[in-house]
Amino acid sequence: GECSAFKERFMECLRHSGYESAACRQSAMAYLECRMDRRVPQLMANEPLEKLGFKDLINEKSEEKPEKS
């Protein structure tokens, strides 16, 4: 239940996009991150998001962060 809000956002995105999963990759990544962060046994193994197909979104995320001076 800890990740149900992330799941609901992902499912809502799918419904609004006509179930076009590519349009909901940001939501999917957030949901998977939540599941991996909770580390509930047998819920989901902790895998690098790059291996799950989110390398491009991770690069976008790091480019948005301002550099510390």
Side-chain angles (χ1 to χ4, degrees), residues 2-3 13 32 50 59 66:
E2 294 178 51
C3 298
C13 179
L32 293 175
E50 294 89 353
N59 289 339

Side-chain angles (χ1 to χ4, degrees), residues 23-67:
C24 302
R25 291 183 67 229
Q26 203 67 46
S27 299
M29 186 175 79
Y31 176 53
L32 293 175
E33 281 182 306
C34 178
R35 290 185 59 133
M36 288 187 292
D37 288 347
R38 298 310 182 268
R39 292 195 180 142
V40 175
Q42 299 173 343
L43 183 61
M44 183 172 185
N46 199 358
E47 290 287 335
L49 291 168
E50 294 89 353
K51 287 177 91 176
L52 299 174
F54 295 104
K55 185 175 183 174
D56 60 322
L57 295 180
I58 293 167
N59 289 339
E60 286 176 17
K61 228 183 197 182
S62 63
E63 289 172 6
E64 290 174 8
K65 292 181 181 175
E67 292 186 30

Side-chain angles (χ1 to χ4, degrees), residues 4-14 27 30:
S4 59
F6 292 97
K7 180 182 122 189
E8 283 306 312
R9 276 187 230 123
F10 175 60
M11 295 304 295
E12 182 149 336
C13 179
L14 286 176
S27 299

